[in-house]
Amino acid sequence: MRLSFVVSEPNANFTSLGGDSPHVRSDLRYREYRRRWMENPVAFIVEDFPIHLDIEVTNRCNLRCTFCDKLPYLKPEEIGSLDFNLFLRIIDEGAERNLCSLKLSYRGEPLLHPQLPDMVAYAKKKDVLDVYFNTNGMLLNDSKARALMEAGLDRISVSVEGVDPVAFERERIGARFDVIKRNLERLLNLREKERLNIPKIRLQTVRLPGVNLNEYARYWAAFCDETAAIDYKEAKQRNTSLVAMDWACPQLWQRMTIEWDGRIMPCNNDDYRYLSPGNVPESHVADCWKAPMVAKARELHMQGRSHELASCNGCPWRTTQLEKKYKTPAESEN
C-alpha cells in the first residue's frame, strides 16, 4: 500500500555553498541518470539494479576524527581492505546492468588502498558515468593525484572542517591543515597543466558548532570547484522515539552499499548491519536489490512505518532529517 503523502527528499543532508556543481553536464545519459536519482525515490520506482553503489575499498583510516560516526565501533577483525578480484566481479555485474554511479568510499580513507587508481580506471573502462570518492586529503600527493587523473576520476570530495588550522587539527587528529591545502593546490595545478576539467573538486564540511559556512565558502573557493556542507549525524546516542508518517528514506530507491568484505546493505547508514540481504561473491547485487527483506523495508517506508525497522529506527541519518523536517519556525531561527 502506498500513501500519497509520503515524501522522500534526495540529497536532503547536503547543501551547496558556492561554485559549480559537478552534475552540470551536457551528456544526455548523464542527465538521465541524475533525473532518475532525484525522481525515483519520490515516485518509489524500483529499477532492476541500483543507480549507484557505495563500495568500501577499505575501512582503515589514517586519522582519528573526534566526530567520526562509524569507525570507532569497529572490532579489529572487522577492519580490512577490498580484494581487487572482488571489486572486478562487482563492477562487471554493474556494467551489465547499466550502473551509473560509483563511490569508492564508505568508512575509512580510500587513498590507503594501493589499487584505488586501478579501480577507477576499470570502472571508467566499463562505462560507469560518475566515479568518485570522499577523502580527508592527507594522502593526495603528486603521484596519487596523477594516477587518479590518468585513470579518469570524475570527481573527488575532500572533507575539511572550518578555516582555523588549530581547531581543525584538534578535531581531525592526525591531519595537517597546511598539507591538505598544499595537496589541493597541487591537484588544481596538475589539472590545469594537463588541460583537463576532471576530477571536479568539492570541499565539504560537516555542520559542526563554530563553523561559519559563509566564511568557509569564501576561504576555500580558490581551492576547489564547489564548497558544500553536510549534516552532522549523532551516532552515539540513537534516537528511537521518532515516528514519521509522512517520510521515507530515498536511499532504498537509489543505492546499495558493499563493505570491504563483500557484505551488502541497502543504504550507507546501517552501522549495525541489521538489514543485509547477502554478500559478494555468494550473492549477486541484483538479487539483493530485489530481496524480500529489502522489498519489505521499502513497503514500510512507503507506508510511513520506517520506525518499525530496527535498521531505520534510530538511524542517525533518519534522525537528522526528521529533526530538520519537524523543527518549529522558532527553532529554525535559532
Side-chain angles (χ1 to χ4, degrees):
M1 177 178 68
R2 170 178 168 179
L3 302 181
S4 60
F5 57 78
V6 176
V7 177
S8 297
E9 299 180 10
N11 300 348
N13 67 322
F14 172 87
T15 303
S16 180
L17 302 177
D20 299 322
S21 169
H23 297 304
V24 178
R25 288 169 48 174
S26 59
D27 179 355
L28 291 179
R29 184 175 165 231
Y30 191 93
R31 289 164 61 184
E32 173 63 11
Y33 139 59
R34 294 307 298 176
R35 182 194 66 78
R36 291 157 52 209
W37 177 265
M38 299 301 294
E39 295 181 7
N40 283 11
V42 177
F44 301 122
I45 296 173
V46 182
E47 299 188 3
D48 292 332
F49 196 81
I51 299 170
H52 168 91
L53 291 178
D54 296 288
I55 298 182
E56 179 181 68
V57 300
T58 185
N59 60 7
R60 304 181 191 278
C61 193
N62 55 327
L63 303 184
R64 302 183 308 281
C65 300
T66 60
F67 52 87
C68 181
D69 66 339
K70 296 186 184 297
L71 297 182
Y73 304 99
L74 294 175
K75 300 175 183 177
E77 63 270 20
E78 295 175 325
I79 298 174
S81 298
L82 181 69
D83 179 79
F84 190 69
N85 289 326
L86 191 62
F87 172 80
L88 298 180
R89 178 189 175 102
I90 297 167
I91 298 303
D92 286 346
E93 181 186 357
E96 292 176 359
R97 295 176 178 269
N98 194 31
L99 174 66
C100 292
S101 178
L102 174 66
K103 184 171 76 171
L104 294 169
S105 55
Y106 168 42
R107 304 166 297 186
E109 171 51 55
L111 287 170
L112 286 170
H113 200 299
Q115 293 175 290
L116 182 64
D118 297 324
M119 293 177 177
V120 173
Y122 191 78
K124 295 308 297 183
K125 177 183 176 181
K126 289 292 185 174
D127 208 24
V128 179
L129 288 170
D130 190 16
V131 180
Y132 65 106
F133 60 86
N134 294 349
T135 174
N136 58 50
M138 279 294 296
L139 304 177
L140 193 61
N141 57 32
D142 183 72
S143 62
K144 289 183 179 179
R146 287 180 180 277
L148 290 166
M149 192 173 295
E150 291 172 359
L153 184 70
D154 292 291
R155 54 190 174 107
I156 184 171
S157 294
V158 182
S159 298
V160 183
E161 276 63 55
V163 301
D164 179 357
V166 175
F168 169 79
E169 292 175 10
R170 183 174 59 243
E171 299 297 331
R172 285 191 175 265
I173 301 171
R176 288 278 305 279
F177 196 80
D178 60 329
V179 170
I180 295 172
K181 287 180 65 175
R182 185 166 64 246
N183 288 348
L184 288 168
E185 289 176 332
R186 181 188 296 116
L187 179 59
L188 283 169
N189 290 337
L190 179 60
R191 195 178 69 176
E192 181 179 0
K193 179 181 178 181
E194 298 297 328
R195 298 182 179 180
L196 296 172
N197 62 359
I198 59 171
K200 298 295 186 183
I201 306 167
R202 173 184 288 162
L203 263 289
Q204 61 186 35
T205 179
V206 177
R207 291 177 180 268
L208 294 172
V211 176
N212 183 313
L213 298 183
N214 290 328
E215 181 184 34
Y216 181 87
R218 288 193 298 269
Y219 183 92
W220 288 108
F223 294 87
C224 62
D225 300 294
E226 181 187 32
T227 54
I230 56 174
D231 294 337
Y232 171 71
K233 298 178 295 183
E234 175 53 67
K236 297 178 182 178
Q237 301 294 327
R238 293 172 67 90
N239 187 344
T240 58
S241 65
L242 296 173
V243 175
M245 299 300 292
D246 60 346
W247 184 87
C249 180
Q251 295 202 8
L252 290 166
W253 287 270
Q254 293 171 320
R255 69 207 297 166
M256 297 200 92
T257 296
I258 305 174
E259 295 185 350
W260 71 270
D261 59 1
R263 187 185 297 261
I264 301 172
M265 297 178 298
C267 78
N268 61 5
N269 290 285
D270 187 5
D271 298 336
Y272 295 101
R273 299 165 166 173
Y274 288 134
L275 189 63
S276 177
N279 62 83
V280 183
E282 296 176 6
S283 305
H284 291 289
V285 176
D287 292 337
C288 291
W289 177 246
K290 293 291 189 70
M293 68 165 58
V294 180
K296 180 63 176 179
R298 292 191 184 105
E299 180 183 352
L300 289 174
H301 274 255
M302 290 167 64
Q303 295 173 0
R305 297 163 59 194
S306 59
H307 56 280
E308 297 181 19
L309 289 160
S311 58
C312 303
N313 191 23
C315 163
W317 195 93
R318 175 182 181 272
T319 297
T320 300
Q321 301 316 310
L322 292 184
E323 287 177 345
K324 286 196 305 181
K325 183 176 178 64
Y326 297 118
K327 187 178 292 184
T328 65
E331 290 174 324
S332 300
E333 292 173 2
N334 293 335

